[in-house]
Amino acid sequence: AADHGAADGVCEPFTCAEHDALQATASTTGTISAIASGAIVAMFTYERLIGPIRLTGLRWGKDQQAHRLVVALASADFFASIFFAIGRAGALDSGVCALQGFGIQFFAMSTVLWTCMIALNFFVTIVAPRSLQWVRHVEWAYHVLVWGGALVLACLVFATGGYGDADLWCWIADPAARIGLFYVFVMLAWLLCAVLYTWSLVAIFRQLRDTHEAQSRTQPIRARVTMRLGLFVIVFIFIWIVGLVNRLINLSVGVAFAPALLHVLVVPLQGFLNGCVYGGLLDRMPAMVSHCITGNDLYGPGAPDESPPHTSSTSASAPSAPERADSTAAGRHDRGGAPNHSVGSANDSIKHEEAFELQIADEPHGTSRVAEHGTPASATSN
């Protein structure tokens, strides 16, 4: 009877069966996310230090700012996933509990802020009249804002002794403080990303209109742009709204198993979901699995080592959407080659290979694009 009572104490405020289900779910989803985000960091590091990984179809080794931002997001996701995967096991020891709470607060907030920085970088590159060189020169400010801001908030909670058992894992013990010191910033980030991507979308549509292409020729691009940018916002909201709802329930009526289960199912999965929408894991997963099983290369036998046969070198690697923000001075396309000042003029020092090419479709042959600097007018599929 004494042993049973002790077990119930460890499981509270849930039954032991519910506790075990929550622990198993958090460990599983956290591990999946750690693997996915770790794969992005590993691919980037391998290609920068050793050489291209042909099976991914993505040249992470190129010194693209957007790649570096996605890798920074993946790095934060990786460590957040590890702390999520620990689950309530950290509550068994006060020191481990405080460390887990600090880790979740710091790295989870970092993922939120990095998502904002990716949206801001996309916006600045497309809408603001800044050159790509200027954007790269202020990249250090992104790191200061993200890591510094997350550290300040994490230390603030630590200084007030706020870390403790948060029902699902060790985090901020006070239900009201969870909202004020985390989810308020998440909701502000939702609003910021929605505004930045909407503004960027309007600028892109305006530029497509200014190219004087037929509506039928630009409509596929409009659809792909809308879908991709919308997906960024939808996934970001989806990741955290489940947790917000559960924490609001905790604040008002206490714990409930069903929303808690959804919480540990979705929130620790953020590394995997971010990897799919920002890192292109979902698009490249079939080729990666095929390579592991059969040894076949992504581009098939006889394909050249550098890239598959395409009409342009920049379309060869089918970059993910954040990469296009880095290689974009968006909306500067003019069929006569002159820059369009309605969105921003191209800087003369920008290299030709960094010319704007918006390939929203993530198709292996890069068939849909809008380009500048004399690229043939090919706003439609080949």
Side-chain angles (χ1 to χ4, degrees):
D3 291 341
H4 185 269
D8 287 343
V10 172
C11 298
E12 290 179 354
F14 303 99
T15 68
C16 285
E18 292 172 343
H19 171 274
D20 293 343
L22 294 172
Q23 178 68 43
T25 303
S27 298
T28 300
T29 53
T31 300
I32 292 172
S33 284
I35 293 173
S37 53
I40 292 176
V41 176
M43 285 189 295
F44 176 83
T45 303
Y46 183 93
E47 293 205 355
R48 290 294 299 272
L49 298 179
I50 300 176
I53 306 174
R54 294 184 64 207
L55 66 91
T56 64
L58 183 63
R59 299 299 182 262
W60 286 98
K62 294 180 65 178
D63 189 22
Q64 296 279 356
Q65 183 191 41
H67 283 167
R68 295 193 296 272
L69 298 184
V70 170
V71 170
L73 172 63
S75 300
D77 276 329
F78 175 77
F79 289 105
S81 299
I82 291 176
F83 284 110
F84 282 131
I86 296 174
R88 294 199 72 205
L92 299 177
D93 181 90
S94 59
V96 175
C97 187
L99 177 62
Q100 183 187 18
F102 185 92
I104 288 178
Q105 176 69 10
F106 175 70
F107 289 110
M109 180 59 68
S110 297
T111 66
V112 172
L113 296 178
W114 273 122
T115 303
C116 292
M117 292 303 104
I118 291 174
L120 178 62
N121 188 71
F122 191 90
F123 170 82
V124 169
T125 311
I126 287 180
V127 178
R130 301 291 185 180
S131 69
L132 296 181
Q133 286 86 345
W134 182 90
V135 173
R136 289 193 181 92
H137 288 161
V138 300
E139 185 178 341
W140 61 270
Y142 295 165
H143 290 272
V144 171
L145 289 172
V146 172
W147 303 120
L151 182 62
V152 167
L153 288 174
C155 289
L156 178 62
V157 179
F158 181 79
T160 58
Y163 294 121
D165 189 355
D167 302 328
L168 307 178
W169 37 62
C170 286
W171 184 41
I172 302 173
D174 180 36
R178 298 169 195 165
I179 306 299
L181 293 174
F182 187 83
Y183 281 103
V184 165
F185 295 96
V186 171
M187 289 184 283
L188 291 174
W190 289 343
L191 178 62
L192 177 63
C193 289
V195 169
L196 292 177
Y197 282 131
T198 301
W199 198 336
S200 301
L201 192 64
V202 171
I204 292 171
F205 282 7
R206 183 184 300 118
Q207 182 53 38
L208 290 174
R209 181 196 62 199
D210 292 344
T211 62
H212 305 295
E213 295 280 2
Q215 180 73 16
S216 60
R217 294 170 64 83
T218 60
Q219 188 59 38
I221 302 176
R222 293 170 182 263
R224 291 185 177 98
V225 172
T226 303
M227 181 182 68
R228 181 64 65 177
L229 299 188
L231 188 62
F232 290 165
V233 177
I234 290 171
V235 169
F236 183 34
I237 294 176
F238 172 73
I239 288 172
W240 291 111
I241 197 168
V242 175
L244 174 60
V245 169
N246 182 51
R247 294 309 184 184
L248 289 174
I249 292 173
N250 295 163
L251 182 62
S252 58
V253 299
V255 298
F257 176 67
L261 182 62
L262 289 175
H263 190 158
V264 298
L265 180 65
V266 174
V267 171
L269 207 58
Q270 63 173 337
F272 174 76
L273 296 175
N274 284 336
C276 290
V277 297
Y278 291 104
L281 288 181
L282 196 61
D283 296 325
R284 293 161 179 86
M285 196 174 297
M288 296 172 72
V289 172
S290 175
H291 176 86
C292 293
I293 296 176
T294 66
N296 293 336
D297 187 80
L298 174 64
Y299 303 124
D305 290 339
E306 293 77 17
S307 64
H310 297 297
T311 57
S312 76
S313 60
T314 50
S315 66
S317 57
S320 59
E323 175 186 335
R324 295 162 210 131
D326 182 49
S327 62
T328 302
R332 300 179 194 143
H333 170 61
D334 183 87
R335 297 187 66 178
N340 188 324
H341 296 281
S342 64
V343 180
S345 60
N347 189 296
D348 292 337
S349 61
I350 297 176
K351 296 181 180 179
H352 178 74
E353 60 268 21
E354 292 174 341
F356 172 45
E357 186 170 62
L358 188 60
Q359 297 173 342
I360 293 298
D362 273 344
E363 298 170 355
H365 294 286
T367 54
S368 296
R369 62 181 181 271
V370 180
E372 69 168 356
H373 291 317
T375 303
S378 54
T380 60
S381 300
N382 292 337

